Amino acid sequence: MPINVARIDDRLIHGQVITTWVKNYNIEQVLVINDKVANDKVQQSVLTMSAPPELKVLVFGVQQFIEILKKTPIKKRTMLLFTNSIDVHALVTGGLELEKLNVGGMRMQEGRHQLSRAVSVTPEEEQAFKNLIEKNVIVEVQMVPKDPVVLLKTLIN
């Protein structure tokens, strides 16, 4: 399964994703996995317009993507893009084989506490990260590919 990058970035598709992650990994398609975005046609249009024309962008709800994975192998060089760890954990529990998860940005908001400069989590998101780590998913915090990698397990209790 050619999932080349699985990344959490609550901004989803933006300049940094396109100019660094997509280019560095020669990504052919970005699959945004998020229930809220899957039900928002306007946000889907914005995401599609944010990407260069040669980059395919598709949006799926979490359960919808679990069902697709059961029937359809991914053949293109792919980046999975999420807004939170709860959705990633649901996919891994639902059968997605994932070796590594990159965490780029989860903004500080009410009800969240900071793990690093760019990563803030709710208690539920923190537990989802712990569950992923227990399932042997390597969770790395890294804003751009040239930044040093910090293992998330060193930032949580």
Side-chain angles (χ1 to χ4, degrees), residues 26-103:
N26 196 25
I27 298 298
E28 297 173 284
Q29 68 180 357
V30 174
L31 306 181
V32 175
I33 315 299
N34 181 272
D35 291 335
K36 185 177 174 190
V37 178
N39 292 310
D40 185 338
K41 297 291 182 203
V42 173
Q43 193 170 3
Q44 288 177 38
S45 294
V46 170
L47 290 173
T48 304
M49 289 187 295
S50 301
E54 67 277 6
L55 182 66
K56 188 173 186 177
V57 176
L58 298 170
V59 179
F60 300 100
V62 175
Q63 195 57 46
Q64 178 189 20
F65 191 65
I66 289 170
E67 295 306 314
I68 288 169
L69 277 177
K70 291 176 183 174
K71 300 176 202 157
T72 311
I74 295 174
K75 295 181 179 159
K76 293 184 177 188
R77 294 183 60 81
T78 300
M79 174 184 216
L80 298 182
L81 200 51
F82 303 91
T83 60
N84 65 75
S85 55
I86 295 167
D87 291 349
V88 180
H89 182 255
L91 254 67
V92 170
T93 301
L96 174 68
E97 292 179 26
L98 193 61
E99 285 181 31
K100 192 185 296 186
L101 174 64
N102 171 273
V103 184

Side-chain angles (χ1 to χ4, degrees), residues 7 16 20-21 24-25 102 142-149:
R7 177 174 170 84
Q16 193 178 72
T20 60
W21 294 101
N24 274 24
Y25 288 90
N102 171 273
Q142 186 183 34
M143 289 299 288
V144 293
K146 68 178 183 351
D147 286 350
V149 170

